[in-house]
């Protein structure tokens, strides 16, 4: 999409955000394009899973309107952040993770966050797609340079997960838990996922790309699917709080977490992890490329690896290619 198209779509979305009918003619006038061009832009927005009604003689309307992210508010809220103060709020992008990696390659920076209303190619862990309808959820990537070698970063995605869960638990009516290594759960259903990628291979400085997707009000279209049950944050936060307000609190929390991690590593997070883990002291199965291992989740190492009590004794698992599932005990 060209910049001009994006700007026109943004103008169109701002008009339709009020939830009222707007005639094709008035939209064409405001955008200074033809009615056919308006129709084409509308089709594009519909392809992003925005529900647009069109009624002959009345025009177009988004039922219920739209509550768009507030870029100005977000920039203001992050101005005192230590690790990332630059905020890019995008209407649509392939993936915030890829966007920020491209920016870094063009011109390295110290820290930056990219937030998008919509992703056309959102990526989850293990090459899975991350379904990213427009305006429905939270999708963001933080890129930071830390004076730590890659080997010191084993616990960073867990520390970010702990930070997210702690912030959310101040805002929600039901407890948000974490599932090793990278998920947030609400009532055992997936609320959010974290994808951390490290760029560069230096021993004493790393560039981290921390991607977070949080379901706010995820609704699937026909033909779409997500391979596990999911939960929505809007069901458990006060209706007074906007997506931007919640996001700002989460980002400030992550900034503080990065400072603590940089100073002391994962150690200060271990006790929080135990109290937040959905499966602590529970029977679980770990799936590895070599097969499955059954045991009880008994803790976390200082490098973020999981401790499992098995019939052969304590075994340690690093994230990566392994996955974890709660095990039912047959009586
Ligand atoms: C997971 O599989 O649980 C991790 C999901 C991470 C999704 C986020 S959304 C923002 C950022 N951009 C992406 O393409 N992926 C991450």
């Amino acid at each position: 999409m060209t910049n001009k198209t994006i700007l026109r779509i943004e103008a169109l979305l701002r008009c339709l955000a009020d939830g009222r009918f707007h005639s094709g003619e008035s939209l064409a006038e405001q955008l200074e394009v033809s009615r056919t061009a308006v129709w084409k832009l509308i089709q594009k927005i519909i392809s992003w899973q925005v529900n647009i009604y069109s009624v002959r003689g009345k025009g177009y309307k988004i039922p219920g309107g739209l509550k768009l992210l507030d870029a100005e508010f977000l920039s203001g809220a992050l101005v005192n952040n230590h690790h990332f103060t630059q905020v890019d709020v995008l209407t649509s992008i392939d993936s915030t993770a890829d966007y920020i990696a491209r920016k870094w390659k063009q011109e390295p920076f110290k820290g930056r966050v990219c937030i998008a209303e919509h992703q056309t190619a959102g990526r989850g862990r293990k090459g899975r797609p991350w379904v990213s309808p427009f305006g429905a959820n939270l999708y963001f990537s933080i890129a930071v340079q830390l004076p730590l070698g890659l080997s010191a970063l084993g616990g960073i995605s867990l520390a970010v997960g702990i930070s997210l869960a702690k912030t959310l638990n101040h805002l929600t009516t039901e407890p948000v838990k974490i599932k090793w290594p990278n998920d947030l759960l609400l009532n055992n259903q997936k609320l959010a996922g974290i994808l951390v990628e490290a760029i560069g291979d230096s021993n004493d400085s790393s560039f981290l790309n921390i991607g977070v997707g949080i379901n706010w009000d995820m609704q699937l279209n026909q033909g779409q699917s997500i391979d596990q049950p999911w939960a929505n944050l809007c069901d458990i936060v006060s209706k007074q709080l906007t997506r931007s307000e919640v996001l700002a609190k989460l980002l400030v929390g992550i900034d503080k977490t990065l400072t603590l991690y940089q100073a002391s590593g994962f150690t200060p997070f271990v006790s929080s992890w135990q109290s937040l883990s959905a499966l602590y002291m529970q029977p679980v199965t770990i799936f590895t490329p070599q097969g499955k291992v059954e045991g009880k989740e008994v803790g976390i190492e200082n490098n973020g690896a999981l401790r499992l009590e098995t019939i052969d004794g304590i075994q340690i698992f690093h994230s990566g290619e392994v996955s974890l599932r709660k095990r039912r005990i047959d009586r």
Side-chain angles (χ1 to χ4, degrees):
M1 254 188 313
T2 62
N3 272 351
K4 215 178 206 177
T5 308
I6 281 277
L7 289 173
R8 284 177 178 157
I9 287 181
E10 286 169 353
L12 193 51
L13 286 166
R14 278 195 298 274
C15 292
L16 295 171
D18 64 7
R20 299 201 181 136
F21 271 112
H22 294 261
S23 71
E25 206 174 354
S26 74
L27 292 171
E29 223 169 82
Q30 286 179 70
L31 271 67
E32 297 178 355
V33 296
S34 67
R35 284 172 61 176
T36 312
V38 169
W39 182 84
K40 280 192 187 153
L41 295 171
I42 294 273
Q43 299 316 303
K44 187 80 203 170
I45 300 174
I46 291 174
S47 77
W48 296 350
Q49 284 180 244
V50 180
N51 190 11
I52 304 189
Y53 279 9
S54 113
V55 175
R56 198 182 279 264
K58 283 179 132 182
Y60 304 102
K61 153 187 172 135
I62 297 179
L66 283 176
K67 291 188 193 82
L68 298 169
L69 290 169
D70 186 339
E72 212 175 306
F73 167 79
L74 284 160
S75 297
L78 304 184
V79 79
N80 292 323
N81 265 11
H82 188 68
H83 296 278
F84 47 93
T85 47
Q86 185 176 346
V87 188
D88 299 352
V89 180
L90 309 176
T91 298
S92 179
I93 195 70
D94 49 357
S95 148
T96 56
D98 294 343
Y99 169 88
I100 220 153
R102 285 196 296 271
K103 289 282 170 202
W104 162 255
K105 278 193 194 126
Q106 277 164 19
E107 195 181 344
F109 47 81
K110 198 171 152 270
R112 183 167 181 157
V113 54
C114 167
I115 305 158
E117 289 280 22
H118 171 247
Q119 297 185 117
T120 53
R123 298 189 282 107
R125 290 172 64 230
K126 298 185 189 147
R128 294 192 190 110
W130 189 258
V131 181
S132 309
F134 180 91
N137 304 309
L138 292 171
Y139 321 111
F140 60 95
S141 291
I142 298 164
V144 285
Q145 215 176 343
L146 290 185
L148 300 172
L150 290 180
S151 58
L153 294 172
I156 197 86
S157 66
L158 279 80
V160 169
I162 291 166
S163 169
L164 293 170
K166 278 187 164 178
T167 305
L168 289 176
N169 280 326
H170 284 114
L171 308 174
T172 55
T173 48
E174 286 178 54
V176 172
K177 295 279 183 179
I178 52 187
K179 176 172 162 257
W180 185 89
N182 290 116
D183 289 349
L184 295 195
L185 302 182
L186 170 67
N187 295 326
N188 289 317
Q189 296 172 323
K190 184 152 171 168
L191 182 67
I194 303 163
L195 176 72
V196 176
E197 293 164 326
I199 308 176
D201 56 359
S202 146
N203 284 333
D204 49 13
S205 165
S206 307
F207 186 76
L208 284 179
N209 190 337
I210 303 167
V212 179
I214 303 179
N215 299 326
W216 177 273
D217 187 12
M218 169 71 97
Q219 312 288 338
L220 289 185
N221 265 358
Q222 238 179 353
Q224 280 184 320
S225 64
I226 296 182
D227 59 0
Q228 56 186 308
W230 80 91
N232 278 327
L233 191 55
C234 74
D235 293 335
I236 53 160
V237 290
S238 153
K239 297 282 174 256
Q240 316 296 324
L241 281 171
T242 64
R243 276 185 308 146
S244 298
E245 285 164 340
V246 172
L247 181 52
K249 288 179 196 294
L250 293 170
L251 290 168
V252 168
I254 293 177
D255 186 60
K256 291 192 177 127
T257 290
L258 292 175
T259 302
L260 180 58
Y261 194 95
Q262 189 177 316
S264 313
F266 186 63
T267 312
F269 297 93
V270 170
S271 62
S272 302
W273 182 86
Q274 281 183 3
S275 59
L276 287 167
S277 173
L279 298 175
Y280 185 58
M281 290 304 193
Q282 306 261 337
V284 296
T285 306
I286 293 261
F287 296 85
T288 77
Q290 291 74 40
K292 58 182 187 173
V293 183
E294 296 192 331
K296 182 163 79 173
E297 189 186 282
V298 288
I300 199 103
E301 297 280 293
N302 280 348
N303 61 7
L306 192 76
R307 286 167 66 82
L308 203 69
E309 187 183 273
T310 72
I311 46 167
D312 302 320
I314 299 287
Q315 290 192 39
I316 308 291
F317 293 90
H318 297 270
S319 57
E321 283 310 301
V322 305
S323 63
L324 168 77
R325 208 174 294 159
K326 183 175 165 66
R327 184 160 47 96
R328 289 196 196 292
I329 304 282
D330 297 324
R331 288 173 197 276

